[in-house]
Amino acid sequence: MKKVLLVVLTLSLMIGMIYAQEMQAGPQKAKLASPAGIKLAPSREVPAYSFTVPPVSLMDSYYDYMIGNYNALPLRVIPESAGGGYFMSYHGSRTNSTAATARRAFYSYISNTGAVLANNEITTVTNREGYTSVAVDPVSGKPLYSWHANHDTEALLEIEFTSDAFLDGLAGLFNDVVAAVDNPISITSPSGVTTSANEFIWPTNVIGPSPIAGMRRIYILGRNSVSAPVGAPSENPYIAYADFDADTIEAGVPLVWSYTHIPEMDNWNADSVNWRRPSNAFCADNFGNIYYVGYHFAYVGTDGDAIVEPDIDVFKCGNYGQGTWERFMSNGDLPSLNPLDYFTDADNNDIPYTDEQMRWTISNSSHINAVVDATGKIHVAAIWALGNDQGSYWPAFQFIKEFTFDPQTTAFNIKEIYPQTDDPAGVFQPWDVVAPWGDVDEVDENGFPLFVTDWPFCYWDDTVHDAAMMFHYNNIKLSEANAEGQMVCVWQNSWRARQANYYSNTDYTAYANVPEIYIAVSPDNGGTWSEPIVLNRIETPALTGIKPMWVYPADKVKFTGMVGDQEKGKIGLMFYDDTTWGSFANTPPVHPTNDGGRIMFAELEITFPLPDVSANNDVVTPVASMLQQNYPNPFNPTTTISFNMPKTGNVNLSVYNVKGQLVKTLVNSTQTAGSNSVVWNGDDNSGSSVTSGIYFYKVTTNGKSETRKMMLMK
């Protein structure tokens, strides 16, 4: 297998580490030349909408990168019982000074009508602060904030925390700022490696129930900025938690913090041989469980072969964060093929890739968030890119999908958000948009397939920031489902700008400097996703003269009533109006002048489409393989084997030795559709332990069999 990682370890990343301006991009997957393609025409009705609050400026700011949070929503709905409106948090700079202390943590209080009632720094200390997070108490409506800054005299940053008493509609009554996570933190991994200089920053706040009657529990998750021994980032998390109620906050009683962390991810960070890079987000349900959800990629070192293993991860901890962490896994790969042998291997005499080598994989989705819907399922939206079995990919083919996890059944599901297909196979293929399925719809003048392409990023040029633009600029965010099941998915798109600037397509010259906002909506907890609403400065009068960047939806849609049979709802948006398109704050900058921009708020009222009653929300999208690589491998004495069932049916999963003799039957029963797993304890059917060596495990279901190899090493 080829080595496809391109190392991006430059001075800019070292500066990023010193000032914690940004997450390190690290080595990136290799990108392959892609065709310009065409834009997919809308195939479904675009939801009707109107601006209930046209874009309003909160302040000028001269820090122009990821103004809210990497993996959380910085705009929060205030319960109507507490007066309604929104609390908002962001980092910004009032001046274009290059001083490290110029960037500060801000809060805003916005009324139900969109009036900005408060907007100011959270602290009075001149200190470099950033990557704020806010959670709102669902009972009292009081906001709880965190951010990272240097809280003491040593060099590492801490996660600082405060709460706002928020009395009688008056915001900004902050309690004393404390270090909820006081770095450095010492961690001993299950592998026995102790690291003592860990710096957990980039916080995410979530609130869940408390085991103490009448109280809630605030969780603050930080991510480790210290790279793994392999020389690249592997951000294991560290979680602080404490109990509170309205009286606690109003009286300014200091919270008592406890801590938890994920042992398996501590192993990843301590590994000196294999590199696993997680991209995860944090959420909590109403039953005392917390989750760290996302995906990872794995390689032998930073320039070695890919490690074949499940890439979608759900780490779950019960008992209000005091339980034992457990992990659920699934394979995020989706099947594809090579139409008319178009895609060829330039390193192998341009031999076409086989259909089996082609696949869709989760890519460029480091800035995801995770939400829980009204039924208890967890949702994560991300980018799936068309790639090959060597780990490289074609960047013009990147589309938005989501995966869900049902904690009750432990089933995973992958659903398309944009674009969507009517193909019963369930996977959008950009050369096969209309029936009949399974062939190429149209060819160009050269006889090549005519492709649908896309660019789901807020900037058009993937070469900026040392060719790490797609790492830094991806930003796909989901709102939580409200009681009516209404959700939104928000991302940005620069396909038309890329056509104008990169492909010199004069049809899109007017869009050369136009980032766009996409909003897909769901009326039924993500069961049905709409055609996206598209907002930009040319086609949307309310955005005239505005270049929106770093767009975040509010955490919930506010249900506003019915229009006929359809529900309506309001969604708040926070974003940055960039004076000169592209980030100056990232090193190297896109442009040489820090001319800043504006922190903006807007609100839309959307008419949600009717749910698609014909959709089967429990059907698992086909994956590239039923049988996943066991984990860990090699192992001693236990290992987990995961397999994906395309539909409910009888399955046999058995272990064989190198002579082909049956060793152990692990499963021989009916299994439900979706992701399933079983643990093998290294024993045979009689219960006796087996010897070290190579073993094979085989799954058979619905007339199909797959086999993989594993190693028991005692």
Side-chain angles (χ1 to χ4, degrees):
M1 188 172 292
K2 294 182 180 177
K3 300 175 181 179
V4 298
L5 295 180
L6 303 178
V7 179
V8 185
L9 299 174
T10 64
L11 177 62
S12 67
L13 297 180
M14 290 186 283
I15 292 174
M17 291 180 66
I18 294 170
Y19 293 116
Q21 290 184 0
E22 60 199 38
M23 287 186 175
Q24 294 182 66
Q28 301 290 293
K29 291 182 179 180
K31 295 176 288 188
L32 303 174
S34 302
I38 61 173
K39 190 67 173 174
L40 181 66
S43 60
R44 293 157 290 137
E45 184 177 356
V46 177
Y49 73 93
S50 62
F51 278 90
T52 48
V53 180
V56 57
S57 174
L58 279 70
M59 62 171 272
D60 293 341
S61 175
Y62 292 87
Y63 194 85
D64 63 354
Y65 175 68
M66 198 63 69
I67 61 171
N69 190 289
Y70 279 123
N71 299 104
L73 299 178
L75 181 61
R76 297 279 169 168
V77 173
I78 303 170
E80 290 299 321
S81 59
Y86 301 89
F87 282 119
M88 192 167 100
S89 67
Y90 60 92
H91 59 220
S93 176
R94 293 187 184 274
T95 73
N96 62 359
S97 168
T98 58
T101 55
R103 192 183 71 189
R104 303 291 302 283
F106 287 80
Y107 79 98
S108 300
Y109 173 33
I110 299 169
S111 76
N112 255 335
T113 61
V116 181
L117 303 178
N119 182 70
N120 215 330
E121 289 89 347
I122 295 175
T123 72
T124 58
V125 178
T126 302
N127 197 8
R128 183 175 180 82
E129 302 160 336
Y131 295 96
T132 62
S133 185
V134 59
V136 172
D137 180 13
V139 177
S140 68
K142 300 180 188 300
L144 297 87
Y145 297 92
S146 69
W147 60 93
H148 64 228
N150 196 338
H151 191 77
D152 48 32
T153 57
E154 46 76 31
L156 296 183
L157 304 176
E158 281 72 44
I159 294 179
E160 295 189 327
F161 168 83
T162 189
S163 55
D164 182 352
F166 187 50
L167 295 170
D168 299 323
L170 182 61
L173 305 175
F174 293 113
N175 290 307
D176 291 342
V177 174
V178 300
V181 176
D182 190 3
N183 294 308
I185 301 294
S186 180
I187 297 288
T188 299
S189 69
S191 61
V193 177
T194 298
T195 53
S196 58
N198 298 293
E199 181 186 49
F200 294 95
I201 54 176
W202 302 304
T204 297
N205 293 5
V206 301
I207 292 175
S210 167
I212 302 173
M215 304 194 84
R216 277 75 64 200
R217 180 159 285 186
I218 172 74
Y219 302 89
I220 304 176
L221 180 143
R223 298 160 177 85
N224 198 351
S225 71
V226 177
S227 290
V230 293
S234 181
E235 297 94 339
N236 54 319
Y238 191 71
I239 302 165
Y241 59 88
D243 298 302
F244 72 94
D245 61 11
D247 292 339
T248 301
I249 295 177
E250 290 179 11
V253 176
L255 302 188
V256 178
W257 296 98
S258 300
Y259 301 90
T260 184
H261 47 98
I262 303 175
E264 188 165 356
M265 297 190 77
D266 296 336
N267 267 346
W268 293 2
N269 181 264
D271 198 333
S272 60
V273 177
N274 299 318
W275 177 42
R276 289 179 173 86
R277 179 80 188 268
S279 295
N280 286 44
F282 189 42
C283 63
D285 64 20
N286 292 323
F287 306 102
N289 301 302
I290 56 175
Y291 303 88
Y292 200 44
V293 188
Y295 78 104
H296 76 277
F297 53 77
Y299 288 87
V300 178
T302 58
D303 61 352
D305 291 342
I307 299 172
V308 179
E309 63 185 22
D311 58 341
I312 294 179
D313 304 301
V314 174
F315 293 94
K316 175 185 176 182
C317 183
N319 194 25
Y320 308 93
Q322 298 168 226
T324 300
W325 285 93
E326 55 183 331
R327 181 186 179 196
F328 304 89
M329 301 171 286
S330 186
N331 179 19
D333 288 0
L334 301 174
S336 191
L337 50 83
N338 191 353
L340 305 181
D341 288 338
Y342 175 84
F343 299 104
T344 61
D345 187 349
D347 294 328
N348 190 21
N349 298 316
D350 282 326
I351 294 175
Y353 292 101
T354 66
D355 290 348
E356 291 73 24
Q357 289 180 286
M358 303 290 292
R359 62 199 58 188
W360 296 94
T361 60
I362 306 177
S363 302
N364 296 319
S365 299
S366 49
H367 306 147
I368 54 178
N369 72 316
V371 300
V372 181
D373 70 23
T375 70
K377 292 181 181 178
I378 298 168
H379 295 247
V380 172
I383 296 170
W384 266 254
L386 181 64
N388 56 44
D389 64 344
Q390 299 168 350
S392 50
Y393 72 104
W394 291 270
F397 304 106
Q398 298 189 77
F399 303 126
I400 308 298
K401 308 179 192 294
E402 68 159 348
F403 72 81
T404 61
F405 174 74
D406 187 340
Q408 299 300 313
T409 64
T410 69
F412 288 87
N413 181 33
I414 299 174
K415 180 176 286 291
E416 295 182 328
I417 295 179
Y418 178 79
Q420 298 178 20
T421 184
D422 293 323
D423 184 351
V427 182
F428 179 85
Q429 308 292 356
W431 52 85
D432 189 12
V433 178
V434 297
W437 308 110
D439 59 10
V440 173
D441 291 338
E442 189 176 352
V443 297
D444 62 18
E445 63 275 10
N446 298 311
F448 297 138
L450 188 61
F451 294 104
V452 169
T453 57
D454 205 13
W455 198 256
F457 303 96
C458 58
Y459 195 66
W460 66 270
D461 186 357
D462 59 321
T463 68
V464 300
H465 306 313
D466 289 331
M469 183 280 289
M470 288 187 281
F471 172 85
H472 292 299
Y473 283 42
N474 70 84
N475 189 34
I476 304 162
K477 296 295 191 288
L478 288 166
S479 72
E480 302 170 12
N482 61 16
E484 289 73 25
Q486 295 173 309
M487 300 175 67
V488 301
C489 180
V490 176
W491 69 98
Q492 289 196 254
N493 193 289
S494 301
W495 184 87
R496 289 191 274 198
R498 184 166 175 82
Q499 291 290 311
N501 293 301
Y502 184 80
Y503 293 107
S504 301
N505 187 336
T506 56
D507 290 343
Y508 298 101
T509 300
Y511 292 87
N513 197 32
V514 180
E516 305 184 67
I517 302 171
Y518 277 42
I519 306 173
V521 307
S522 172
D524 53 1
N525 294 292
T528 303
W529 286 102
S530 74
E531 192 79 22
I533 296 167
V534 178
L535 308 175
N536 60 57
R537 61 189 297 185
I538 292 178
E539 299 166 326
T540 311
L543 265 62
T544 299
I546 292 174
K547 289 193 287 291
M549 294 282 282
W550 322 121
V551 182
Y552 300 85
D555 62 319
K556 287 186 178 180
V557 176
K558 297 195 287 186
F559 174 72
T560 57
M562 306 291 294
V563 52
D565 294 332
Q566 294 176 263
E567 297 175 344
K568 299 182 72 174
K570 293 180 180 180
I571 186 69
L573 297 176
M574 167 182 140
F575 62 93
Y576 187 75
D577 175 21
D578 208 359
T579 302
T580 301
W581 194 13
S583 174
F584 174 85
N586 288 59
T587 305
V590 173
H591 51 86
T593 303
N594 186 6
D595 51 6
R598 299 184 295 167
I599 306 294
M600 308 291 289
F601 170 81
E603 184 185 68
L604 282 72
E605 185 171 48
I606 301 171
T607 301
F608 281 65
L610 292 173
D612 183 357
V613 296
S614 65
N616 183 354
N617 299 334
D618 295 324
V619 173
V620 176
T621 305
V623 293
S625 175
M626 289 191 302
L627 193 58
Q628 309 307 315
Q629 188 63 50
N630 64 302
Y631 185 84
N633 187 43
F635 63 96
N636 177 29
T638 64
T639 189
T640 298
I641 299 172
S642 299
F643 56 97
N644 292 287
M645 293 286 289
K647 62 181 180 179
T648 298
N650 188 71
V651 61
N652 180 280
L653 177 63
S654 297
V655 178
Y656 299 85
N657 61 24
V658 292
K659 297 180 180 180
Q661 298 168 326
L662 176 66
V663 174
K664 177 81 171 186
T665 299
L666 298 173
V667 178
N668 190 21
S669 61
T670 298
Q671 301 290 310
T672 58
S675 179
N676 298 268
S677 63
V678 63
V679 174
W680 182 40
N681 295 314
D683 58 350
D684 60 21
N685 278 329
S686 66
S688 301
S689 296
V690 299
T691 59
S692 298
I694 299 294
Y695 292 87
F696 297 89
Y697 55 103
K698 178 180 179 181
V699 64
T700 302
T701 182
N702 299 314
K704 181 180 179 182
S705 296
E706 291 183 12
T707 303
R708 284 185 181 264
K709 181 172 64 175
M710 58 184 168
M711 177 179 289
L712 172 59
M713 185 180 295
K714 294 185 177 180

